[in-house]
Amino acid sequence: YIFKEILSRKHRNQLLILESFLEEQTVTIQQLEEKTGATKQTIHKQIRELEQIFSFRLKKYRNTFYLQNKEMINYTTISHYFYHHSIQLQLVSFIFFHPFASTAKIANTLEISETKFRNVYKQVTTALKLYDISLTKSPFCFVGDFNKMRQFFQVFFSEKYYTIEEYITSDEQEIIEKILQGFVHSTNESSCRTQQLNSLIWVTIKLSAHLQN
């Protein structure tokens, strides 16, 4: 997941727990402690929360958890959940769509205080440095190597949504198809390849709004 480093500590721990159960159907408390760095009490609490969120069942025997219905969770549903519940990821997404927004506008839209916003902003800017992307101060926009930003956000939105139709509007799709007409022969391109090209062009157009004079 490209978003892993951007998550809050709690969500990152929950992600590590979920990944552990997907990789190994049987997981011990000690293994989860080592992976997350969290205490036993915190792990038990977060597992109870995750059982409610994803509706899967765990059976515990001594210090070992057994995942009883693995089909209830997969990597796609996990990424979808965190993209829509992480305030850090919501901030990244909002600024992508609304470059040069002010602190007040973002805080109001995300329904958080400006103090909370500053904390989230600090977490996000630190995480984005791992991808060589910077987030300016107010008014906010993304800066850095354009190709690296384009690659990052293409993966970002492919992880966030199930299909490109969820984030590329029909009007935008029509424009992209016209752009591609002179370069791609649709009969020779697979559906997957076409969607990748559509996503890449869409991200390129959106990111161009972040370019400063």
Side-chain angles (χ1 to χ4, degrees):
Y1 299 113
I2 199 169
F3 65 77
K4 183 181 293 186
E5 299 302 325
I6 305 176
L7 296 174
S8 66
R9 184 172 182 178
K10 175 184 176 180
H11 277 159
R12 198 178 306 139
N13 285 348
Q14 289 181 328
L15 176 60
L16 289 170
I17 291 171
L18 289 168
E19 285 181 327
S20 297
F21 283 114
L22 283 178
E23 294 164 6
E24 301 289 340
Q25 203 158 346
T26 301
V27 184
T28 67
I29 287 293
Q30 184 178 358
Q31 288 174 319
L32 294 177
E33 283 183 286
E34 291 173 355
K35 278 195 173 185
T36 65
T39 64
K40 291 180 182 179
Q41 292 80 3
T42 299
I43 291 171
H44 280 287
K45 180 181 179 181
Q46 293 187 346
I47 284 176
R48 287 194 296 271
E49 290 180 6
L50 291 170
E51 285 183 296
Q52 294 297 316
I53 293 167
F54 292 97
S55 300
F56 62 80
R57 294 190 304 277
L58 293 173
K59 183 178 180 181
K60 184 184 176 185
Y61 178 71
R62 295 183 179 178
N63 288 323
T64 303
F65 284 99
Y66 300 86
L67 182 60
Q68 293 186 299
N69 51 340
K70 192 173 182 178
E71 68 278 2
M72 295 301 295
I73 57 172
N74 56 55
Y75 289 106
T76 302
T77 56
I78 289 172
S79 65
H80 190 75
Y81 169 77
F82 286 111
Y83 268 107
H84 290 82
H85 290 83
S86 165
I87 194 69
Q88 288 79 10
L89 296 177
Q90 288 177 35
L91 173 63
V92 172
S93 185
F94 183 87
I95 294 175
F96 177 87
F97 285 108
H98 304 89
F100 306 107
S102 66
T103 299
K105 180 178 180 179
I106 297 173
N108 183 62
T109 302
L110 299 183
E111 299 181 341
I112 57 176
S113 67
E114 292 195 12
T115 299
K116 172 70 173 177
F117 168 81
R118 286 191 289 271
N119 291 332
V120 173
Y121 168 81
K122 184 177 180 180
Q123 295 169 16
V124 170
T125 52
T126 300
L128 287 176
K129 288 178 182 177
L130 298 173
Y131 305 97
D132 293 325
I133 299 174
S134 297
L135 180 56
T136 66
K137 294 183 179 180
S138 183
F140 303 94
C141 70
F142 296 109
V143 294
D145 181 273
F146 194 82
N147 286 329
K148 288 182 179 180
M149 291 196 295
R150 185 170 57 182
Q151 291 169 3
F152 173 87
F153 281 105
Q154 186 177 15
V155 176
F156 183 93
F157 286 104
S158 69
E159 289 182 342
K160 181 176 181 178
Y161 296 102
Y162 293 116
T163 65
I164 64 172
E165 287 78 16
E166 292 182 71
Y167 59 93
I168 300 179
T169 67
S170 57
D171 288 342
E172 291 172 334
Q173 185 63 50
E174 186 176 343
I175 293 171
I176 291 170
E177 287 174 359
K178 289 180 180 178
I179 293 173
L180 286 174
Q181 280 176 358
F183 302 94
V184 177
H185 297 291
S186 58
T187 55
N188 298 326
E189 293 289 339
S190 66
S191 175
C192 181
R193 175 60 177 165
T194 300
Q195 288 190 352
Q196 288 176 343
L197 288 170
N198 289 351
S199 175
L200 182 62
I201 292 173
W202 178 82
V203 167
T204 301
I205 293 170
K206 291 293 186 181
L207 270 179
S208 66
H210 289 257
L211 299 178
Q212 304 180 69
N213 296 328

